[in-house]
Amino acid sequence: MKLILTDEQKDLSASVRAFLADTSPMARVREIAESAESYDPAVWRRMSGELGLTGLAVPEAYGGAGFGMSELAVVLEELGAALTPAPFFASAVLAAGVLVQLGDESAAKEYLPGIASGSVIATLAEGTLHSRATDDGSYLLTGTAPRVLNGLDAGLILVVADSPAAVYAVPSDAPDLVRTPLTTLDLTRPQARLEFAGTPARLIGPLDATSALARTMDLASVALAAEQLGGLRRCLSTIVEYAKLRVQFGRFVGSFQGVKHKLADMHCTLEQAESIVRYAAWAADFAPDELPVAAALAQSFVGPAYFAVARDHLLLHGGIGFTWEHDAHLYYKRAKSAELLLGPPRHHRALLAQRLGLR
Amino acid sequence: MTDLDEYSRKARAWLAGHPAPADPSVSDARALMAQLYDAGYSGITWPAEYGGQGLTEAEERAFQQATRDVTLPINVFGIGLGMCGPTLVSIGSEEQKRRYLRPLLRGEEIWCQMFSEPGAGSDVASLQTRAVFDGEAWILNGQKVWTSVAQHADFGLIIARTDPEVPKHKGITMFVIDMHDPGVDVRPLRDMTGQSHFNEIFFDDVRIAPDQVVGEVNGGWSAAVTTLLHERVSIGMGSARTDRPAAYENVAATAREQRLLEDPIVVDRLVDLYLRERSFDLLNARMSQEVKAGIFPGARGSVIKLLLAELTLYSADVASEILGPETVAYDSEENGKIARALAWGPGMALGGGTNEIMRNIIGDRVLGLPREPQVDRDMPFRLLKVGTQKEAEA
Ligand SMILES: Cc1cc2nc3c(=O)[nH]c(=O)nc-3n(C[C@H](O)[C@H](O)[C@H](O)COP(=O)(O)OP(=O)(O)OC[C@H]3O[C@@H](n4cnc5c(N)ncnc54)[C@H](O)[C@@H]3O)c2cc1C
């Protein structure tokens, strides 16, 4: 079990942090959040090209760098800390993840290199969807995926349909596909509703992809926890700095025990969350048997932990924290939307109970 | 296999070959320490010239890991090995190291740590026990309290006031004292578990030779801080799973036997217990790996001490909620495990510094937050208000 970063991983983290501080500072994040854009294409190009982040965990055979979850987690921590608006989670985590897990050689060859290079943005769509086979061996999809991450940005949509579940590929310009943007609490991460009305689709992988999808979701749970850890750490360091500057009653507010003890508890939460994320990433890479429990553990703990810390960091700013101009609400909203992204905490706790053999 | 793996493997084999007696006594503990010493598992990181093994934190942690699932009944040596010994290793004189360390490692001498007093606990720098130099020796008078294992101890580290005219942190000195001195009166106190883990101690003209000063005269505060840092790391990171009768695995197994898992509330409580326990264990494991990599936890020892205290209290509480009234009304030792955990919980949250003090330390020293205003910092000790005050004076 490896719970501390290697020197190479620390270097990776430092270079991603420096890149994001330079190209995607909070002022820029805000600009994008308040515009109709969902991300900055120039930053995306450099992130995926120059830094190779989108291909980091894609196998070398498909144009990636072949690293594991431990490295991907380090990158996601920085993206989560900087709140960078980008289709990274949709494309490099969910879509790339499911393509790797499905083990469909020809689909992987066709789609993964584009995702790895960043030239294709892909996403994963789930909902109430059905497929119908046509005479020529292709499929038609019908139904609705109510909330699809970066559903409008994606050029390639990987759709989960039927029960047992199978995965289908649909290009975004396919006929009989309607994409409607949703209003999201989190301004840095767009979602859309996708309606399929006999949309032509290509089957990828087996007709029963249950186990590949379960593993994809477990890996995504770990990846999301890493992103949440980054946000949590940033919120804590921001409010600690503020508590050292803000004076009331002739004292720095950080010297009041009501504040100090809350910050100390937040720090304890950070220490635990980091330990869980390192462990879960290690399990993803080296102990596949432990992954199901580790993934459910990660989302059950880190999701609510991030929201609690983001909430308290906002509150400890006082009135300024409630203003639109302050960044605190951006983190608060991201923390809440992330906590629910792969199912609410009760879903992950139920999974954990099941996997621990409690039910 | 690395050398370290080999070391762990040997340690495990050794431990397996030396099972603990069912109801270990103090002399069993002494005997076991002697065996550990002979096998090279006592004072793993302590300098070899004083009886240690001169190895690194890596071996120490490997040995600790190996002991996680067995009971090593040497608690009576815990204070000596975890606090007094390391203090002497870092700031003791050459003669002190030569005289005291080897017998401690061999299980020949038991140590206690006398800091707390009736008027000075969290604020231990307000202590009132006095030591006055009479030209030849220091003469000690006063009282200590809550001193763990003092009833068995041969020696103890004590801090006493040696100059009341200066501010409280500046007039304290640390000494080694002989617990068998006729002027030392140790009276066991019965604690809430019904047993006597700690004592009160009265000192009546105890003579201390000048060479028993640890560190500098009036430099006792920094010596005490050294001891306390060791204490938190050793309490937090030294916790073995066998010390937790309300551990998730045990509670889940009992709940299953009693067919309680059909209740979704029970299942959710167990999930909660699992989350708290696992997050603590993983943090503990991560800090061990940091220590192995050469990063000493320092004040972060308070994080692990605080979380362990909270976990100990919480797990006993939630276990009793899950398993119900039979946890508090029982007919055998075995069935009284949760009751004993409930009774022991507060001890974990008080000894070694309270939860509030741990949060102060994390805030001040880990996060670097501004300190609270201190009314007593620069005032001569003699003018300070100390301990429990009568209402009229308050
Ligand atoms: C099982 C056990 C074993 C022990 N073993 C030893 C031992 O071997 N040697 C030894 O010297 N001592 C020992 N102690 C004593 C222990 O260190 C003290 O009890 C502890 O430090 C608290 O001091 P106190 O009892 O005087 O409480 P007080 O300091 O009077 O505390 C009362 C309350 O006030 C709070 N408080 C105090 N100061 C602050 C502050 N600045 N900010 C916020 N809250 C504050 C405390 O958290 C507590 O809730 C032991 C105690 C226990 C329970």
Side-chain angles (χ1 to χ4, degrees), chain B residues 94-111:
Chain B
E94 183 61 25
E95 299 84 84
Q96 288 166 355
K97 291 182 203 178
R98 291 207 180 283
R99 164 62 189 85
Y100 295 121
L101 295 179
R102 195 181 302 267
L104 164 58
L105 292 177
R106 268 195 194 140
E108 289 158 9
E109 290 168 357
I110 293 172
W111 283 69

Side-chain angles (χ1 to χ4, degrees), chain B residues 5 34 56 72 110 115 227 284 313:
Chain B
D5 292 335
T56 68
L72 212 50
I110 293 172
F115 286 13
T227 313
N284 206 342
L313 286 166

Side-chain angles (χ1 to χ4, degrees), chain A residues 4-43:
Chain A
I4 53 180
L5 296 181
T6 62
D7 288 342
E8 290 75 24
Q9 289 164 347
K10 284 186 199 153
D11 289 347
L12 175 63
S13 138
S15 63
V16 177
R17 191 176 323 133
F19 172 78
L20 294 177
D22 187 33
T23 59
S24 190
M26 279 317 283
R28 186 74 191 110
V29 171
R30 244 164 204 292
E31 237 170 62
I32 294 166
E34 293 181 31
S35 75
E37 299 299 309
S38 65
Y39 68 102
D40 182 335
V43 175

Side-chain angles (χ1 to χ4, degrees), chain A residues 24-89:
Chain A
S24 190
M26 279 317 283
R28 186 74 191 110
V29 171
R30 244 164 204 292
E31 237 170 62
I32 294 166
E34 293 181 31
S35 75
E37 299 299 309
S38 65
Y39 68 102
D40 182 335
V43 175
W44 178 254
R45 267 195 302 278
R46 287 187 60 194
M47 183 191 286
S48 44
E50 202 177 303
L51 275 76
L53 301 184
T54 38
L56 195 68
V58 171
E60 282 165 304
Y62 307 120
F67 285 101
M69 181 59 76
S70 305
E71 285 73 26
L72 192 59
V74 162
V75 171
L76 282 158
E77 265 181 71
E78 295 307 325
L79 290 167
L83 227 50
T84 315
F88 192 88
F89 196 83

Side-chain angles (χ1 to χ4, degrees), chain A residues 257, chain B residues 113 115-116 121-122 146-148 198 350-352 354 356-357 360:
Chain A
Q257 286 194 353
Chain B
Q113 169 210 330
F115 286 13
S116 305
S122 301
W146 322 133
T147 315
S148 302
F198 54 31
L350 294 168
T354 66
E356 286 74 26
I357 296 303
N360 283 345

